[in-house]
Amino acid sequence: MAARRTRGMTGPDVSRSTVARAASIAEQLRYECSILLELYREKESFTADVLVDGRLVSVAPPSSQLDTRDKLWRLHSALMQCRSLLERAIAREEEELGGGKKGDYETQRKMVKDRLSYLLICTGELLKTAGGAALLTPSLEGLELDGPTALFELKLWVYRIFKEVDYWTKTAITTLEALPSVIAKERVRTSRVRTTRSTRR
């Protein structure tokens, strides 16, 4: 597991406005990721159909059995790993490929990193509100933080990381857009349990 969590006791009382704000940031990040990928392909002369194998981020598989808290924890954990990978990719690019003159690509890369950090703040707030972990201790074990040494492989590795951020951004949008209906169902279920208990008394 990529992170450890401490579960709270409160119920899934997640603010719709916070969910909407997080979803809006994720939409912006998705758009910015698409521009970054395009700029990187242009910079490295990659075609759009360059193959990237497997996921870099390690989290529990998706399941319909997960409640709001678990879904948010899974998403937040994945995004934290994405940020660690992205930070390392930027550092390796500057170390191995040279910082050089800052242009559209470097500006867009920083924009994606900053937007991802904003999204992490929002998902962290949602997680706490849902009674999830106030503290997430990310484990970077298993993450390919060093990357390859060969130049072409390094460029592919950086591209894989950008694709991974793009993938989890799209996952964030799907997860966040589905939250209001999931929360409503959970509240109905909780209300029924309370009503049943009151009737028994």
Side-chain angles (χ1 to χ4, degrees), residues 146-157:
D146 290 331
T149 54
L151 185 59
F152 181 71
E153 295 300 320
L154 175 61
K155 291 178 179 181
L156 272 180
W157 176 72

Side-chain angles (χ1 to χ4, degrees), residues 30-59:
R30 183 191 62 79
Y31 174 69
E32 285 160 2
C33 277
S34 68
I35 295 174
L36 178 62
L37 284 165
E38 186 178 337
L39 287 170
Y40 191 76
R41 284 193 294 265
E42 183 180 308
K43 173 176 171 283
E44 301 300 343
S45 300
F46 285 176
T47 57
D49 58 353
V50 170
L51 293 177
V52 288
D53 299 325
R55 300 260 68 88
L56 292 171
V57 163
S58 173
V59 291

